[in-house]
């Protein structure tokens, strides 16, 4: 975290004393100047990292619920890891909400639709397309739904973790009753999550490019969170096993997590290609502009992000042995984890800083700070409970899992 803060400070000093002085003054006249300042980049990076790491926490809660709703046995030995990663959810959501609220206070200009003149027909800045969406951006409706979504997710995350701790002491009929309660609540959460996660991604990210709309955007974001969470699970398992702290996890468990990393990478690629090809091939001007900007200003990062996140899981994790090899899992996992962060970077930066983007001290420092804090927070949560959750009817089946 210290290195991250130092890099952020170094990035600020470089920008102020040796960088573009014209870009150092936020709030200069004109919309394009709003894109150029260091402050604009700072808030945009805060949104990138809050959204990325918060999304991983949300996906971990989703995967935990999915385990119960599907009545899965193999993953029972990982429940405490899923639960620990999910504890970062309130922090990530809080940061995203803070960034959005600060936009309304005019501390940054990430969300163009927050400019009141866009809705005034007498103003030269009047925008009929954004004005048409005014009911959706009504502040009471906008913040109301965001708070309801986040409160619902955090409530289930807290309830499931607390219930998991209490479940360790249950046996017999009490254990079965608790397990059935978990199935029921997990099913309710998954229905709630299925709708709200998409709308959250529209509000927090898609609304940056206010004129643009994609029906696949929510699923695409969800796939990115999910593969990020699976990679974190894999990294934690490899690390804890190397310290002899997961003796109950066998090669078949690791193999199954490797299969999830492989499969969800393809889900993300499928959605990336579907969204891109449908828009690019149809060549509708107001839709293609989203990709045209990324093509013109972010071309190298745009293509390398897609290629790495597709090619490396396919080439490295295809065989059975590679999914059980910790070196392959570490190498592939770390690589595609970073390039899923760059995918989130590409979701936010074009609409907020435009061509004034960079991956320098601020971006690397902010990423390292969040990554370090995320690791600290997850290990703190792991240290608060035994790594094996007991009081589960499939515990024995999971301990003897073999494929």
């Amino acid at each position: 975290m210290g290195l991250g803060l130092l890099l952020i400070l170094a990035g600020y000093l470089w920008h102020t004393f040796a960088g573009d002085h014209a870009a150092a003054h936020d709030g200069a006249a004109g919309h394009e100047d709003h894109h150029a300042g260091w402050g604009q980049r700072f808030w945009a990076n805060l949104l990138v990292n809050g959204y990325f790491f918060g999304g991983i926490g949300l996906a971990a809660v989703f995967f935990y619920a999915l385990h119960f709703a599907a009545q899965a046995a193999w993953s029972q030995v990982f429940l405490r890891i899923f639960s620990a990663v999910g504890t970062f959810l309130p922090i990530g959501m809080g940061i995203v909400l803070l960034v959005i609220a600060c936009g309304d206070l005019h501390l940054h200009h990430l969300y163009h639709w927050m400019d009141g003149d866009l809705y005034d027909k007498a103003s030269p800045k009047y925008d009929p397309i954004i004005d048409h969406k005014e009911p959706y951006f009504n502040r009471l409706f906008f913040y109301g739904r965001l708070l309801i979504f986040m409160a619902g997710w955090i409530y289930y995350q807290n309830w499931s973790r607390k219930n998991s701790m209490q479940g360790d002491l249950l046996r017999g009929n009490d254990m079965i009753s608790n397990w059935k309660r978990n199935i029921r609540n997990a099913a309710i959460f998954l229905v709630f999550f299925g709708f709200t996660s998409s709308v959250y991604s529209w509000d927090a990210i898609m609304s940056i490019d206010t004129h643009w709309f994609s029906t696949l955007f929510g699923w695409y974001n969800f796939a990115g969170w999910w593969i990020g969470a699976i990679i974190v699970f894999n990294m934690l398992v490899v690390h804890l096993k190397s310290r002899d702290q997961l003796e109950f996890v066998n090669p078949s468990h690791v193999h199954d997590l490797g299969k999830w990393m492989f499969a969800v990478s393809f889900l993300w690629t499928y959605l990336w290609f579907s969204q891109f090809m449908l828009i690019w091939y149809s060549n509708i001007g107001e839709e293609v502009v989203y990709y045209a900007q990324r093509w013109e200003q972010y071309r190298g990062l745009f293509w390398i992000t897609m290629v790495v996140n597709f090619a490396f899981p396919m080439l490295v994790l295809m065989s059975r042995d590679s999914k059980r090899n910790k070196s392959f899992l570490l190498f592939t996992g770390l690589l595609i984890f970073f390039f899923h962060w760059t995918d989130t970077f590409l979701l936010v930066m074009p609409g907020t800083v435009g061509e004034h983007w960079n991956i320098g001290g601020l971006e690397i420092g902010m990423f390292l700070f969040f990554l370090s804090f995320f690791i600290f927070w997850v290990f703190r949560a792991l240290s608060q409970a035994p790594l094996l959750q007991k009081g589960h009817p499939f515990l024995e089946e999971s301990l003897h899992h073999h494929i």
Side-chain angles (χ1 to χ4, degrees), residues 152-172:
W153 300 335
I154 293 170
Y155 174 79
Y156 177 75
Q157 181 268 322
N158 281 328
W159 177 86
S160 61
R161 183 164 174 80
K162 184 178 178 183
N163 192 58
S164 165
M165 307 293 184
Q166 294 172 344
D168 281 351
L169 306 175
L170 301 178
R171 298 292 182 273

Side-chain angles (χ1 to χ4, degrees), residues 167-403:
D168 281 351
L169 306 175
L170 301 178
R171 298 292 182 273
N173 289 335
D174 290 340
M175 179 179 69
I176 298 300
S177 298
N178 187 55
W179 178 63
K180 289 180 178 177
R181 194 180 309 119
N182 265 309
I183 294 174
R184 182 196 63 201
N185 290 353
I188 294 171
F189 170 78
L190 290 176
V191 172
F192 180 73
F193 172 86
F195 171 73
T196 58
S197 60
S198 285
V199 180
Y200 166 67
S201 67
W202 302 345
D203 291 346
I205 303 297
M206 195 165 73
S207 71
I208 291 171
D209 301 279
T210 319
H211 285 192
W212 181 78
F213 182 80
S214 166
T215 53
L216 282 173
F217 193 78
W219 293 105
Y220 172 71
N221 277 252
F222 164 64
W225 298 334
W226 198 1
I227 183 60
I230 296 291
I231 292 167
V232 170
F233 300 156
N234 270 286
M235 298 300 103
L236 288 171
V237 168
V238 169
H239 173 74
L240 291 171
K241 276 197 72 65
S242 71
R243 298 174 66 88
D244 298 324
Q245 293 182 321
L246 286 179
E247 68 283 355
F248 45 84
V249 171
N250 63 45
S252 293
H253 293 120
V254 177
H255 185 180
D256 273 348
L257 273 185
K259 286 194 294 188
W260 274 103
M261 190 195 297
F262 181 80
V264 182
S265 290
F266 275 79
L267 171 65
W268 177 87
T269 306
Y270 168 75
L271 291 168
W272 187 98
F273 183 76
S274 299
Q275 182 174 261
F276 172 74
M277 186 52 67
L278 281 173
I279 292 173
W280 195 259
Y281 186 74
S282 60
N283 197 24
I284 302 171
E286 60 268 30
E287 299 292 338
V288 174
V289 67
Y290 180 83
Y291 284 107
Q293 184 185 17
R294 284 154 179 79
W295 184 282
E296 293 167 1
Q297 298 174 350
Y298 296 76
R299 185 177 301 180
L301 190 63
F302 178 75
W303 284 114
I304 195 172
T305 295
M306 190 275 173
V307 170
V308 169
N309 288 334
F310 169 60
F312 272 83
M314 182 182 68
L315 296 174
V316 179
L317 294 179
M318 181 71 80
S319 71
R320 172 187 173 88
D321 289 342
S322 65
K323 297 184 188 70
R324 296 171 177 241
N325 186 304
K326 69 177 182 181
S327 298
F328 282 168
L329 288 174
L330 276 173
F331 172 72
T332 310
L334 291 174
L335 196 64
I336 61 178
F337 183 84
F338 175 72
F339 278 98
H340 273 287
W341 178 85
T342 64
D343 180 51
T344 308
F345 186 84
L346 283 167
L347 292 176
V348 173
M349 291 298 171
T352 56
V353 302
E355 63 182 353
H356 304 285
W357 72 283
N358 190 16
I359 296 185
L362 171 62
E363 288 73 17
I364 296 172
M366 187 84 81
F367 172 71
L368 289 178
F369 177 82
F370 269 84
L371 178 64
S372 307
F373 185 64
F374 177 80
I375 293 171
F376 162 78
W377 194 264
V378 170
F379 275 101
R380 176 179 171 274
L382 283 171
S383 69
Q384 293 174 339
L387 291 175
L388 180 62
Q389 177 175 320
K390 299 178 180 175
H392 192 293
F394 295 160
L395 176 58
E396 283 302 315
E397 182 178 345
S398 184
L399 291 174
H400 297 92
H401 178 57
H402 177 74
I403 55 174

